[in-house]
Amino acid sequence: METIDLRSDGKKIGLINNGNNYFTFSSTAAFQPVTYSWENIRIELAKNHGHCFNGVSSVQKQILDNVTGCIQPGEFLAIMGASGAGKTTLLNCLTFRNAGKLKIHGERYLNGAEVNTDILARISGFVQQDDLFIPTLTVKEHLQFQALLRMDKHFSYEERMNRVDNVILELGLGKCANTVIGLPERDLKSISGGERKRLSFASEVLTNPSLIFCDEPTSGLDSFMAHNVVKILKNFAFSGKSVICTIHQPSSEVFSLFDRILLLAEGGRTAFFGPAGDALPFFSNLGIPCPPSYNPAEFYIHTLATEPSKEAESKERRNIICNAYEVSEASHRVFEIAEANKHRNKAIRKRNGRGGVKKSPYKASVFDQFRAVVWRSVISVVRESVILKFKSFQTIFVAVIIALLFQGQTLQYENISNIQSVLFIFVDILTFQNVFGVVSAISNELPIFLREHHNGMYRTDVYFLSKTLADLPVYIFFPFVFLSIPYYAIGLNPFTDRFFVSCGTVILVTNVATSFGYLISCAAGSTQIALDLTTPLVIPLLYIGGFFLRNGSVPVYLEWMRYLSWFMYGNEALSINQWAGVIFNDTACPNGICTGAQILENYDFNPEFFHRDIGGLCGLIVGFRFLPFLALLSKTY
Ligand SMILES: Nc1ncnc2c1ncn2[C@@H]1O[C@H](COP(=O)(O)OP(=O)(O)OP(=O)(O)O)[C@@H](O)[C@H]1O
Ligand SMILES: [Mg+2]
């Protein structure tokens, strides 16, 4: 059953079936009606020829070819077409997202004003095809985070939390409100596909946008859930909002919910734009009738796609349809609406134009952004219990193995090389234990950061500082435990101050390794590339760290690399801390006496460099964090 009712006071109420029961979605909150039109949108993929400085570009591929359309308040528009026809590209163009190397021509107007990202950020929501969530948050926590950063400044905390509760109710998420979102790919307990999609809607409608974009709302859902999700969009439209979605192959039931359709043919030309019911007569008049009992959506898509081994014929048919549409009454009507929208009176334009736009694209103050992102980062660190448990096990297990293997290294000549080895092993293991974890965690989180940043939720530096702060306790606690377990069992320098200096040094080493992980993740384009780059980048710094290749043996032209090697700084600092001021008797030593100074000299370490080494580690922590910050900034502008 689907009921849509109009109340006597003029407010519309939609009823949505959430699977088991029906709930209401009301349009009580005020929003501004929106007409969005686009004219002659042409999108090309440019190809660069020549060299960096004298390159010329030519069109490599035409993705969209003079597409014109519009959406008015209370309408539900579906953009349909075969795979690769350009549906997502058009939606991205209308929302100013993911343009990459594409060249975009044409005009976009919203209530009489030329559209820009500021206007869109204020009045629209974009539900993208891939749902990106921090998997460790619950549904409610996710929405609370969104409400804190996306709702206008004038809302109080209580109002935001009330809005979250209402949206949870409106979108039928009550049953899973306190369930962790999870990640099916990682086998983390997760909410269902339909609930994920509804959560995406919920994130976007928190701010009560007038214009909603949605890319493939039904992908990955069964037909029942798909119908359910599209009905939610229909209800948004019914409440007066303007809703545009792309859709691949809707069922007849889903198709019947659309008010207007935009059919894109392969090659990006418009085959039809207009009321959904007018499309069948349009095709029939061209001598291409839809067979009885055929799903009209499937008919359009098949008619406009290329049939295997009938390429020329399919292209010819597409051209006939697109040419006919260009001169049709429907096409003229769209142009008229688009032109009228472009020239709407100045008063409206002023209301929607730059005059009313705040300077900052962010809704929350820097402090509030910082507080919210730290809160979320801490929750996700604490909730990643599997990772924390694994990290604890790994730390204790490896520390115990080292303690067993290297125990009882008393001060004797023959034990010196064992002690040097174990000091280097500390630096080595802490690096590899942490750098890979950071690379995969940060690379997985970057798409979420980029999307949220684009949604005007928080600044790049806020994200960076908050993450660093939330992660810091982990990268202090685990290296401390890792060193403490075997330290006295091995028989390293027993003075308390030396123990704590060793702990401090390995904590610094760990944090350089994590900073290096940040650098690789932010510079690489994907998790896989970042993981593949890690070993080849770390290994040379390891080899040059003063253990495998003595400091004095490094080729002059690679000398600079030593100064980037935390293995070198860490190894030397730990060795100086271990041996400085130590003297012991052993007949194997020269003249029967071994001094710490001699030992350090034998390994090419200079006792005066201790502070330089600690400074070097601190410098690398800051430098390796600052470069990825710049890399992120470049990705966001
Ligand atoms: N940034 C880009 N760089 C290169 N090619 C692109 C880019 N964006 C889109 N394309 C190309 O444009 C065409 C249309 O892609 P688009 O993703 O818009 O199709 P679609 O209709 O959404 O398909 P689907 O139904 O499979 O999602 C494709 O051939 C795609 O390869
Ligand atoms: Mg697509």
Side-chain angles (χ1 to χ4, degrees), residues 87-89 129 215-216 246:
K87 304 180 292 295
T88 300
T89 309
Q129 183 170 356
D215 193 12
E216 299 288 351
T246 66

Side-chain angles (χ1 to χ4, degrees), residues 276-285 288-290 296 299-300:
D278 291 359
L280 278 184
F282 171 75
F283 277 78
S284 297
N285 289 342
I288 317 171
C290 175
F299 164 71
Y300 302 136

Side-chain angles (χ1 to χ4, degrees), residues 332-581:
H332 290 137
R333 258 201 312 273
V334 176
F335 266 104
E336 274 167 24
I337 299 174
E339 278 298 304
N341 187 40
K342 195 160 130 187
H343 301 295
R344 279 175 76 162
N345 71 52
K346 280 205 161 128
I348 295 178
R349 195 175 308 177
K350 218 169 184 177
R351 226 172 35 226
N352 299 312
R354 284 193 164 274
V357 178
K358 283 175 258 138
K359 282 222 170 85
S360 165
Y362 305 103
K363 298 259 174 67
S365 67
V366 173
F367 178 70
D368 288 341
Q369 291 173 31
F370 189 72
R371 200 166 51 175
V373 182
V374 168
W375 171 73
R376 184 176 73 171
S377 305
V378 169
I379 288 187
S380 48
V381 169
V382 174
R383 290 267 174 77
E384 285 278 16
S385 60
V386 178
I387 291 183
L388 280 185
K389 276 182 200 154
F390 177 73
K391 221 171 164 47
S392 310
F393 169 77
Q394 186 192 40
T395 301
I396 294 169
F397 180 77
V398 178
V400 169
I401 294 283
I402 290 176
L404 291 174
L405 286 175
F406 287 90
Q407 62 181 305
Q409 304 295 326
T410 48
L411 283 182
Q412 286 172 336
Y413 183 78
E414 63 180 16
N415 289 340
I416 294 172
S417 65
N418 288 346
I419 290 176
Q420 281 310 111
S421 299
V422 82
L423 295 180
F424 194 74
I425 284 172
F426 286 144
V427 178
D428 192 11
I429 289 181
L430 283 171
T431 295
F432 284 100
Q433 262 182 6
N434 291 293
V435 78
F436 280 102
V438 170
V439 166
S440 76
I442 297 295
S443 321
N444 284 334
E445 204 175 299
L446 275 186
I448 301 180
F449 156 75
L450 287 172
R451 184 173 293 181
E452 293 183 337
H453 178 77
H454 207 107
N455 283 341
M457 289 173 67
Y458 48 76
R459 295 156 43 129
T460 308
D461 50 359
V462 166
Y463 168 75
F464 224 76
L465 275 176
S466 317
K467 269 230 68 74
T468 303
L469 206 68
D471 286 346
L472 199 58
V474 172
Y475 297 122
I476 290 177
F477 176 73
F478 283 104
F480 177 78
V481 171
F482 179 72
L483 187 82
S484 307
I485 293 174
Y487 191 89
Y488 286 102
I490 295 168
L492 297 177
N493 199 318
F495 292 104
T496 314
D497 57 337
R498 300 291 178 106
F499 166 73
F500 280 111
V501 169
S502 297
C503 288
T505 308
V506 294
I507 287 170
L508 289 178
V509 165
T510 305
N511 282 281
V512 182
T514 57
S515 295
F516 196 67
Y518 270 74
L519 176 60
I520 298 173
S521 323
C522 295
S526 71
T527 309
Q528 196 51 52
I529 295 178
L531 287 171
D532 289 347
L533 275 176
T534 304
T535 307
L537 288 177
V538 172
I539 291 291
L541 298 172
L542 168 83
Y543 288 160
I544 219 160
F547 184 76
F548 296 110
L549 191 64
R550 302 272 291 271
N551 284 343
S553 319
V554 176
V556 183
Y557 56 90
L558 287 180
E559 188 70 18
W560 60 270
M561 255 174 73
R562 288 182 53 231
Y563 298 100
L564 293 178
S565 170
W566 60 94
F567 295 95
M568 188 272 280
Y569 294 124
N571 191 17
E572 187 170 61
L574 286 173
S575 302
I576 296 169
N577 183 53
Q578 166 66 26
W579 297 117

